[in-house]
Structures are given as C-alpha cells and as structure tokens.
Amino acid sequence: MTPAPALRMPAAVEYVLTRRVPCALLAVVMFSTAWWLPGSLQHMRLLAWMFAMAAIGMHLLTPGLFALITLGGGSGFALQVAVLSAIGVGLAAGMQPLVGLLMLLLYGVMPIAAAMSLRRPGGLARSGQNLAIGLLLAVMVGLLAGAGAAHMDMRGYVDHLLSPMFDSAASQLHGQDAEAAAALAQFRRTAAWLLPGSLALGLWLIWWGNALLARSLARRYGFFRGEQAPLLSIRFGRATAYAFIAAVAGANLGGGDVQFVAVGTAILGAGMLGMQGVAVAHTWLKIRQQPWMIVLMYMLLTMWSVLAIPFVLLGLMDTWFDYRRHMRSADGG
C-alpha cells in the first residue's frame, strides 16, 4: 500500500518553528500563560475559567514544542531554543533564575532527550523509560532539597506542604465529629505518602504524551525518521520490572526517606506496567474484534481505579512472556 503523501506545514508555523528566536518566544508565551492569562479576566468568571483551562493546556503542551523541534531540527537547534526560552522565562518571572532553570531542565532538556530516543530503534519504550527516570529524580530531588532546607524528613515536608488544605478542612469540623476528624487525619497521612509518586506519574503521562504527539505531527508533515512502532506495542523491558519489584520491597521493608522514595518509585512503576498491561488487553480484544469490550475496559478503568491492579500484574508478567507475540502469530499478523 502506498503511504499517504505528507502534508505541507503552514508557512507561518514553519517560519516560527525553524528559527531560534521566534520559536523561543513561542515557548515563553506557552510556558507563562498559566500565570498571566487567567488573571486578565477576573471580572468575567466564565471567560476567566475558560481562559484558565486554555492557559493550562498551552502550558502543558510546552514540552511537546521542544520534542517537535527536536524531531525536525535536531538536538543542537532544540537546546539553543531551550536556553533562549529559559532566559526569557527567568526575565518574565521577575529576574528569577530558578524558574528559568526549571523551564530549561524540565520543559526543555527532558523532552529533547525523549525525542532523541524516539529517533532510535526501540525508542518508544526507551523514551518512556528515560522520561520516567528524569521526572522521578526531579520530583524527589526537589522534595529532598525542600526537606533539607526545612530540617524535616521528606514525608514530614510533604505533609507540611499539604497542611494549609487539610488544616482548613479540619477547622470546619470545629471538633464536633471525632470520627470525621480521624478519617481526615488518615487521609492526610495517605496523601502525604502518595503525592510524590502520583505527581511523578502524572507528569510522566503528560510529558510522554507530548513526545508521542510530536512524533505524530512529525509523521503527518513528513519529517520524522525513527521508531515507528505503535503505542499498543509498548514493552518497557526487564529493567523497569526489576525496579518496580525492588521498589515494592523497599516500600514494605524500608524506613524513613528510603521507604518514602520507594513508595513513589513503586507508584510510577505501577503506572508504567499498568499501561503495558492495558496494551496487552487492548491488543487481545482488538484481534478478536470486540470494540465494545475495549470501550468497556477503559470506562471501568476510569470509574474503578482498583481495577488497575490486574493490569499492573499483566504488564509485569508480559515482561517475560511477551503475550502479544503469540497473539500476532495466532492472528496471522
């Protein structure tokens, strides 16, 4: 079958994405919309809410911009744009170099590294693994630095960060409902344990989604050369499986900051292996031509989070047994 011809990118878009300064200005605007756009319409609540959602969306698409220009112009061009963008963001934030450094490393370097991985054989899984490691390190190092500055352990520091929200909720009880107060305290402890891993997992889903979106756009406009494997073929390999098993062991046997980091690592690893397990189940149902079961599977996953556990185990077992290889041979694919 002859592949469809690549589309022509609009001239204005091509001009911006292929020149360092205009592309850096676009990145600064996308990154900074989250703090200036919503506040510009505070007197109009509905429009302010709509603009806030649009601003958050633009902000979260910033890593995709760097991944896209990496696929089109290479890592050297993308790094130069990232440095210019970081300088611009630091100036726009009121001469705060730490904000610029955050933008450079988290929104620039990490997506660039993920995009470069996508250009190599086996890059689909490698890009996801590299992003997971980088984002987990970013979250844990940030918490460790904050905890050290506050002279607290990491879990205590996260609990301190959550205290304004939970103290406000506790004050509304006025000590009248002891059972509700105990349940709130238990939820606060659980949230402190789960927050770092959940944050790393959420960032990973967004950042990797940006990299895959950039790959899709690069394919559409004919300038992608690299890993062509579809998302349903994802297998993260034994290193991810062993890291998850070690993290689960550390979460149950360790103590202090080691246990806290292990819990966060286990949550992130569970998310990655759960995605692999969902890909296995999706492929199995697709081969058997059961689209409604696929829809039902995703609906149940959305409504009932506990259902994710079997998919995590399925993804873990798929690391060694490669179930989709047998599915494809049975299907004649």
Side-chain angles (χ1 to χ4, degrees):
M1 181 181 295
T2 304
L7 297 178
R8 175 73 178 179
M9 185 174 288
V13 176
E14 184 176 353
Y15 177 86
V16 171
L17 296 182
T18 56
R19 286 162 175 80
R20 294 170 181 80
V21 174
C23 192
L25 289 175
L26 175 60
V28 171
V29 170
M30 292 178 67
F31 181 89
S32 60
T33 48
W35 72 65
W36 64 263
L37 186 58
S40 61
L41 293 169
Q42 289 182 352
H43 60 288
M44 304 175 68
R45 292 186 178 181
L46 179 59
L47 280 178
W49 180 84
M50 295 172 60
F51 273 73
M53 294 298 102
I56 293 172
M58 288 186 65
H59 178 85
L60 294 178
L61 285 173
T62 308
L65 174 64
F66 287 105
L68 184 63
I69 63 175
T70 302
L71 296 176
S75 59
F77 173 81
L79 284 172
Q80 292 172 30
V81 174
V83 171
L84 292 174
S85 304
I87 295 172
V89 166
L91 294 174
M95 303 295 291
Q96 296 188 26
L98 285 179
V99 178
L101 182 62
L102 172 69
M103 199 271 188
L104 174 63
L105 297 178
L106 198 61
Y107 291 76
V109 173
M110 289 188 187
I112 291 170
M116 291 301 295
S117 297
L118 283 172
R119 299 174 69 174
R120 303 186 182 99
L124 182 64
R126 187 175 299 150
S127 64
Q129 290 170 334
N130 292 344
L131 272 177
I133 294 171
L135 291 169
L136 181 65
L137 284 174
V139 170
M140 293 303 175
V141 169
L143 290 178
L144 185 61
H151 304 288
M152 305 169 69
D153 64 352
M154 293 177 70
R155 197 207 67 80
Y157 179 68
V158 174
D159 183 77
H160 172 70
L161 295 177
L162 293 173
S163 60
M165 177 178 63
F166 285 98
D167 289 345
S168 175
S171 64
Q172 295 178 8
L173 296 175
H174 302 295
Q176 299 175 0
D177 192 339
E179 185 176 346
L184 181 64
Q186 178 61 39
F187 180 69
R188 177 174 177 171
R189 288 191 292 270
T190 303
W193 280 102
L194 298 182
L195 179 63
S198 301
L199 177 60
L201 178 58
L203 290 174
W204 177 74
L205 290 170
I206 295 170
W207 260 239
W208 198 39
N210 269 271
L212 297 180
L213 175 61
R215 183 182 73 158
S216 176
L217 290 173
R219 279 171 160 178
R220 184 179 181 86
Y221 291 104
F223 59 87
F224 179 72
R225 300 292 183 272
E227 175 64 77
Q228 299 286 344
L231 184 58
L232 287 180
S233 67
I234 187 65
R235 293 183 74 242
F236 287 111
R238 296 188 180 186
T240 300
Y242 288 136
F244 172 71
I245 294 171
V248 171
N252 287 278
L253 303 176
D257 286 347
V258 173
Q259 184 182 27
F260 191 73
V261 172
V263 170
T265 305
I267 292 173
L268 178 58
M272 296 172 68
L273 291 172
M275 177 178 287
Q276 183 172 324
V278 168
V280 172
H282 187 129
T283 303
W284 189 84
L285 293 171
K286 183 178 179 180
I287 288 173
R288 282 153 184 78
Q289 300 181 356
Q290 297 181 6
W292 288 109
M293 290 299 296
I294 295 175
V295 173
L296 179 61
M297 177 184 71
Y298 287 112
M299 289 179 59
L300 291 175
L301 277 170
T302 302
M303 296 184 296
W304 193 23
S305 58
V306 178
L307 190 63
I309 296 176
F311 290 99
V312 174
L313 297 176
L314 178 60
L316 184 63
M317 297 300 295
D318 180 64
T319 303
W320 287 276
F321 294 103
D322 193 4
Y323 297 118
R324 281 162 291 185
R325 179 185 60 187
H326 304 293
M327 292 178 194
R328 286 192 292 270
S329 62
D331 186 49

